[in-house]
Amino acid sequence: MTAEITAEGMPLPPEAVDGEPVEEEPRRRRRKAILLLFLLGLLAMLSTIAIWYFLFRQPITMLPPIPESRLPGYTTSIFGSTNPMGIAVSPDGGRIYVAETEGERVVRVFDGSGTLVATARPPESTGSEHVPVWVAIDPLTSEIYVSDRPTGQVYIYDRDGAYQRTLALAKPIAGWQPVGLAFDASGQLYVGDLSGAFAKVLVIDRQANVVRTLGESSKLSFPNGIAVDKDGNVYVADSNNGRLMVFAADGTVAAQVGRGSGEGNLGLPRGVAVDDQGHVYVGDATGQGVFVYRTPTADSKRLDFVGFFGGEGVADGKFEFPNGVSTDTRGRVYVADTVNDRVQVWSY
């Protein structure tokens, strides 16, 4: 290589060939090291987000608190199920499970955008007519539990709707008729049972033992919707009595809302859901909408009425005999709009 000569007759240094400095080797190495560290940091951040999502199925950032007096607004509808009844939604809203009581009488599985991705079908060996009614998601395994009242069974599916097994109680109950389903955070299953002189709610542990019952002395009649809040309070839609019952962790009645025409009173409550912001949602089939309450506090055993959304009709945001209600952790409320053959999505 021949060095270029300056006007003064002195040779140019190699880094000034062609009039532009050439980076020194140490400087290039430092820049490469900084870029590599940046890329490694970005990879670590993305890996952390991915691990969090797959472990907890929810975003890292939580929604800000929702004002107590605020109600959700209509967002969209999901079609593709006939006479939807029970509904359960994964915490992130990525899976929506809808039990249809007419048509094929199966559980439809939708993704977060409302696209049908799978169909959960019951086993064929029972010899009885199937009618899936209520749905719940096991918080520990993400398995789907579906009550089928005509067959007296609770069927269990994986997250994608593949049949796994049928719930077998450690001590079978003759003639039990499971309806409403819910889980608490520890994985205990709550099942509304119509067998016996009066309906009741069975509390079932992970080994399928009935560890206690709720509501027998309250003379429940068709305990359909069931939900459990973070404090262990159990909310039961006592449908045919027109009541929402709240049982404390010790089984005593903590609060209730009755039937009537006053503000916040119910008609035919069916689905129940509780969100992580302390709202209780009750789908009322004859009230043609959803009643919203605040969860009881330590100082008050009341269910404070927040408001109502819906009304009878076929337009967006109107209902024809709504039933199941579910929520996710992103401020969305899902309502089975039964006679309109759709699931409505409302959000804050």
Side-chain angles (χ1 to χ4, degrees), residues 196-279:
F198 293 105
K200 54 196 170 294
V201 174
L202 309 178
V203 185
I204 302 170
D205 67 14
R206 302 300 291 184
Q207 290 72 46
N209 296 296
V210 177
V211 294
R212 61 192 174 108
T213 62
L214 302 173
E216 277 190 285
S217 61
S218 298
K219 299 181 180 180
L220 300 179
S221 181
F222 281 83
N224 284 294
I226 304 174
V228 186
D229 69 18
K230 59 182 176 55
D231 296 320
N233 296 309
V234 183
Y235 301 77
V236 181
D238 184 17
S239 296
N240 285 15
N241 286 324
R243 299 183 296 184
L244 174 67
M245 303 292 294
V246 185
F247 298 95
D250 62 4
T252 59
V253 176
Q256 65 177 296
V257 177
R259 175 178 283 152
S261 57
E263 185 178 61
N265 287 135
L266 300 166
L268 184 63
R270 300 282 288 180
V272 179
V274 181
D275 69 13
D276 55 0
Q277 303 270 333
H279 296 100

Side-chain angles (χ1 to χ4, degrees), residues 61-74:
T61 57
M62 297 293 102
L63 287 178
I66 298 168
E68 291 190 7
S69 60
R70 186 177 170 188
L71 293 171
Y74 172 82

